[in-house]
Amino acid sequence: MHRSYTTILPTSNKLLQQRWDSTYYNEHRRKVKDAAPMVDTKAPPTYMHLHLKLKKLQLEEERLATIERDNRILLEKMSYIMRTRGRVDNRNNYEYRSLNREKRQRELLRVTEENQSILRRISDRGAEYSADQLQRDWEANQRFMDSISRFPKDWWVNDKDKKKSSRRSSAVSQRNQRQKDNESVKSDSPQEEDEDKEKNDNEDKDTDQDKMKSSKSKKDSKNKKEAKKEAKDSKKGGKTEEETEKKDEEPEDKDKQAVKA
């Protein structure tokens, strides 16, 4: 066999070279077989204390033992109650006795008497301010303000009344014109004439009521003006009665002219 063995390198003895090569090869195969891997692909090691928790089992056994003991004691008590009348009694003959009850009652009476006396003093106390006097002072202040102010009180309301009266007068004139036109044109049906008359009567009533309201507002404004003038005259004190009469007549003439218009 050694004679047919072909070596890679030249050698003088093929037998020895074959033995040496076989030993080198076998050593190489053994090293390859026993070589450790660079990456550990084995399963992780298992620890018994992680899978079998003895402490937890011990606590569970203790809990069950306590439950069993309590159940046994309860069963013994129930059996004793069933065999005998038991030791349970729902009667309670205890009387509450307080050592300071009389003192607390005296204190409560004292507090109630003090509260009643305070209430009596408050109810008997009279008012420091008079409502009537305050009302009179306010009215006097309003009169002074009206005498000092440039424009009369509620002058915008009077302006609105004047505008309304002018509008109403224009409406009345238009209605009269329509009546004249309707009178010129004779209507064939008497029912239409009756309806027109009723409408005209209602409009006349509305205008009369508006005139009454405007006359009342004018009278109120005239009275206010006279009160203002009297207050001014009382302050100045140097005017004669004739001058005051003339000034009183002037607003009356103006009111008459306004009514005529």
Side-chain angles (χ1 to χ4, degrees):
M1 293 293 294
H2 65 278
R3 291 180 181 176
S4 62
Y5 179 73
T6 57
T7 60
I8 298 170
L9 298 174
T11 181
S12 60
N13 193 347
K14 289 183 179 182
L15 178 63
L16 293 175
Q17 190 66 35
Q18 183 181 5
R19 290 178 180 177
W20 293 337
D21 291 340
S22 63
T23 55
Y24 292 154
Y25 180 72
N26 293 328
E27 185 69 20
H28 170 67
R29 295 304 302 171
R30 186 183 64 77
K31 288 181 179 180
V32 169
K33 185 177 180 181
D34 297 337
M38 297 296 292
V39 179
D40 190 4
T41 58
K42 294 187 291 182
T46 58
Y47 302 99
M48 286 300 297
H49 69 278
L50 296 177
H51 295 281
L52 184 62
K53 297 179 181 180
L54 298 175
K55 185 67 176 176
K56 186 176 180 180
L57 295 174
Q58 182 183 358
L59 294 173
E60 186 67 20
E61 288 177 358
E62 291 176 357
R63 187 177 70 82
L64 293 173
T66 55
I67 293 169
E68 186 68 24
R69 181 175 60 82
D70 294 337
N71 291 333
R72 182 174 52 79
I73 293 168
L74 183 60
L75 182 61
E76 289 178 357
K77 289 180 180 180
M78 291 173 68
S79 63
Y80 177 77
I81 291 167
M82 293 296 290
R83 283 185 280 106
T84 62
R85 293 181 62 187
R87 292 177 294 175
V88 178
D89 189 4
N90 57 358
R91 293 180 182 178
N92 187 7
N93 296 323
Y94 177 75
E95 294 181 359
Y96 178 75
R97 296 176 182 178
S98 177
L99 299 175
N100 61 348
R101 181 174 63 182
E102 295 179 357
K103 182 180 178 181
R104 286 190 286 105
Q105 288 179 355
R106 290 196 299 271
E107 186 69 20
L108 182 62
L109 290 173
R110 185 183 64 79
V111 172
T112 53
E113 288 176 357
E114 288 180 358
N115 291 334
Q116 289 177 359
S117 62
I118 291 167
L119 179 62
R120 196 181 305 110
R121 288 199 299 273
I122 291 169
S123 61
D124 294 338
R125 181 66 178 172
E128 293 290 340
Y129 299 100
S130 177
D132 297 333
Q133 185 64 31
L134 292 173
Q135 182 68 22
R136 287 194 294 272
D137 294 339
W138 182 78
E139 290 176 356
N141 192 8
Q142 289 293 112
R143 287 196 295 272
F144 292 149
M145 288 175 67
D146 291 337
S147 63
I148 293 167
S149 61
R150 182 176 178 184
F151 296 100
K153 189 177 179 181
D154 297 335
W155 57 270
W156 60 88
V157 177
N158 295 326
D159 292 338
K160 288 180 180 178
D161 293 335
K162 289 179 182 179
K163 290 179 180 179
K164 286 181 180 178
S165 62
S166 63
R167 290 175 183 173
R168 286 165 186 163
S169 62
S170 63
V172 169
S173 62
Q174 290 177 2
R175 190 177 64 254
N176 292 328
Q177 186 66 31
R178 288 173 184 172
Q179 287 177 359
K180 290 178 181 179
D181 295 336
N182 291 327
E183 287 176 358
S184 62
V185 179
K186 293 181 179 181
S187 61
D188 296 334
S189 62
Q191 294 179 357
E192 293 178 355
E193 291 179 357
D194 295 334
E195 291 177 356
D196 294 332
K197 286 180 181 180
E198 289 177 359
K199 288 181 181 179
N200 294 325
D201 293 334
N202 293 325
E203 290 177 356
D204 293 333
K205 289 179 182 179
D206 294 333
T207 53
D208 293 334
Q209 290 177 0
D210 295 333
K211 286 180 181 179
M212 290 292 288
K213 290 181 182 178
S214 62
S215 63
K216 286 181 181 179
S217 62
K218 287 177 182 179
K219 286 180 181 179
D220 294 333
S221 62
K222 184 176 73 175
N223 292 327
K224 289 179 182 178
K225 288 179 181 178
E226 288 176 358
K228 290 179 184 178
K229 287 178 182 178
E230 288 176 359
K232 288 181 181 178
D233 293 336
S234 62
K235 288 181 181 179
K236 291 180 181 179
K239 293 183 179 180
T240 59
E241 294 180 356
E242 294 178 357
E243 291 177 354
T244 55
E245 289 177 357
K246 288 179 181 179
K247 289 184 177 179
D248 292 335
E249 290 175 356
E250 288 177 358
E252 290 178 357
D253 296 336
K254 291 180 180 178
D255 294 333
K256 290 178 181 179
Q257 291 175 3
V259 171
K260 290 178 180 180

